[in-house]
Amino acid sequence: MEFADRYSRQILFPGIGLEGQRRLAGSRVAIVGCGATGTSVAGLLARAGIGNLLIIDRDFVEPSNLQRQSLFDEADAAESTPKAVAAARKIAAFNSEVRVHPEVADLTPENVEPLLGPADLVLDATDNFETRYLINDFAVKHGKPWIYAAAVASYAVTMNIIPGETACLACVFPAPPEGAVETCDTSGILNSAVNFVGSIQATEAIKLLVGARAQLRRTLLSLDLWTNDRAEVSAARPRPGCQACEQRDFVHLAGKRRPQITLCGRNSVQIHERNRPVDFVEMSSRLQPHGTVKHNDFVLKFWRDPYEMTLFPDGRAIIKGTNDTAVARSLYARFVGS
Ligand SMILES: [Zn+2]
């Protein structure tokens, strides 16, 4: 397809033009998380002609995702396709010129440098503060811009972080929120709130990539689409004394072993193994006597009442049916290995 034709409506837009469109084609963007916000922003940026997208997500598609996760369909849910893989396939169908690299993994202190290092810009589409502080530490350390975005219920919040210029996440929120945090599991979510925040994030990303720095928003913006409450707090300058910006004490990058995480949206626990290669054919026959087993190239599923275990080729597992990490760990040890 002719470049100038495909992107003609963006090239006509004075803020982008032909030069801006060429810059987008040469850009590399990493999207961390490919749930609701991730599919929204990945879809917009792929259609807009960002040349290279890295999509990092550890999860697989489920029926309850389809209400808001715009790059997935019923076949993806039926086959439990990993979200990063399903997103890459969908993007290839509408813009085969975008090079999409799907990475089925957690972002961790061990892999953050090789994964995010080549990116011009990092977009947060995660569902947890642990990963956001990890992105923030990495970005501030290397002077790489990133965009924070979150949505829950009818509420959306976003902030651009340009290290050395604006406030960072740790300037605004010195510590992760404590206690029970609202999640889409407990509060539900409107698909419009997700697409609202995804649209703002994608637009700010394009401004940054084409060099329209003066147009970038330098505030923490929050909006409730249901009540119409709106707030904007200046984030134009780093906070004196910030642990990341000023002290350059990157505690989240230094984190070694991560705790097991309870995932958003489900009564489930993830076991963070990644050095235990699993042969799905061999594992299927081993598990057969103990429950129901099914596998494809990407995941193996094992049902044993009341639990459902999803196993990945590197040994990582998601165990559904419990919030108790000890129960999950013992199931894993019993059926996969300790
Ligand atoms: Zn800071």
Side-chain angles (χ1 to χ4, degrees):
M1 207 176 286
E2 192 66 43
F3 184 83
D5 183 36
R6 177 190 282 270
Y7 303 112
S8 57
R9 302 309 190 270
Q10 251 170 230
I11 292 168
L12 277 171
F13 178 72
I16 297 179
L18 186 57
E19 173 56 24
Q21 192 63 50
R22 289 204 176 110
R23 285 195 192 185
L24 297 181
S27 297
R28 315 179 76 89
V29 173
I31 299 171
V32 185
C34 194
T37 309
T39 51
S40 170
V41 76
L44 290 170
L45 292 183
R47 287 186 194 274
I50 303 319
N52 300 276
L53 291 177
L54 168 67
I55 299 178
I56 306 165
D57 192 283
R58 63 186 176 203
D59 221 342
F60 53 91
V61 182
E62 294 184 286
S64 68
N65 301 152
L66 301 180
Q67 166 254 0
R68 64 197 177 285
Q69 303 189 10
S70 54
L71 290 177
F72 308 140
D73 58 32
E74 291 177 0
D76 298 321
E79 290 160 20
S80 302
T81 310
K83 291 182 176 182
V85 172
R89 283 181 188 159
K90 209 59 49 81
I91 290 169
F94 65 74
N95 194 345
S96 57
E97 289 164 9
V98 177
R99 282 174 294 279
V100 184
H101 178 75
E103 184 73 34
V104 184
D106 255 328
L107 190 72
T108 66
E110 290 82 13
N111 66 15
V112 65
E113 308 249 352
L115 285 177
L116 302 189
D120 300 313
L121 169 67
V122 178
L123 300 182
D124 158 41
T126 66
D127 57 7
N128 65 86
F129 268 92
E130 188 185 5
T131 310
R132 291 187 179 116
Y133 281 99
L134 177 62
I135 296 171
N136 189 65
D137 268 8
F138 171 82
V140 171
K141 183 179 174 190
H142 296 280
K144 201 179 285 289
W146 73 282
I147 303 177
Y148 161 58
V152 67
S154 55
Y155 177 80
V157 56
T158 179
M159 178 170 88
N160 300 329
I161 290 111
I162 305 163
E165 288 184 40
T166 69
C168 81
L169 187 69
C171 290
V172 178
F173 305 112
E178 281 187 15
V181 178
E182 252 194 313
T183 69
C184 33
D185 191 19
T186 56
S187 310
I189 185 158
L190 297 186
N191 58 17
S192 51
V194 164
N195 282 289
F196 171 79
V197 84
S199 293
I200 292 184
Q201 195 184 33
T203 312
E204 295 298 304
I206 288 171
K207 291 181 197 175
L208 203 129
L209 296 169
V210 302
R213 291 208 163 209
Q215 312 299 326
L216 286 167
R217 209 191 61 257
R218 286 155 200 270
T219 62
L220 174 76
L221 170 69
S222 59
L223 190 111
D224 189 316
L225 275 74
W226 199 259
T227 63
N228 299 309
D229 290 332
R230 182 180 197 276
E232 221 170 336
V233 180
S234 174
R237 292 270 166 271
R239 174 176 57 82
C242 172
Q243 189 173 23
C245 294
E246 193 172 293
Q247 299 175 29
R248 302 191 69 78
D249 178 12
F250 303 117
V251 285
H252 304 278
L253 266 187
K256 286 281 179 278
R257 259 202 96 74
R258 288 157 52 88
Q260 290 154 1
I261 295 179
T262 300
L263 292 178
C264 166
R266 267 170 286 148
N267 174 31
S268 62
V269 172
Q270 178 171 206
I271 307 283
H272 293 271
E273 279 288 348
R274 60 180 66 82
N275 295 312
R276 186 192 289 279
V278 180
D279 179 333
F280 282 172
V281 176
E282 190 267 333
M283 184 60 73
S284 285
S285 60
R286 180 157 25 130
L287 293 175
Q288 212 80 60
H290 305 287
T292 310
V293 201
K294 214 172 89 177
H295 74 89
N296 58 26
D297 289 349
F298 307 108
V299 291
L300 178 148
K301 286 201 155 202
F302 172 56
W303 291 268
R304 184 181 164 85
D305 222 27
Y307 307 110
E308 175 190 309
M309 179 165 71
T310 304
L311 193 60
F312 295 85
D314 58 0
R316 185 166 60 87
I318 294 169
I319 291 158
K320 209 164 156 178
T322 182
N323 278 320
D324 185 336
T325 54
V327 167
R329 176 52 80 181
S330 94
L331 266 167
Y332 187 89
R334 180 166 170 208
F335 293 110
V336 183
S338 51

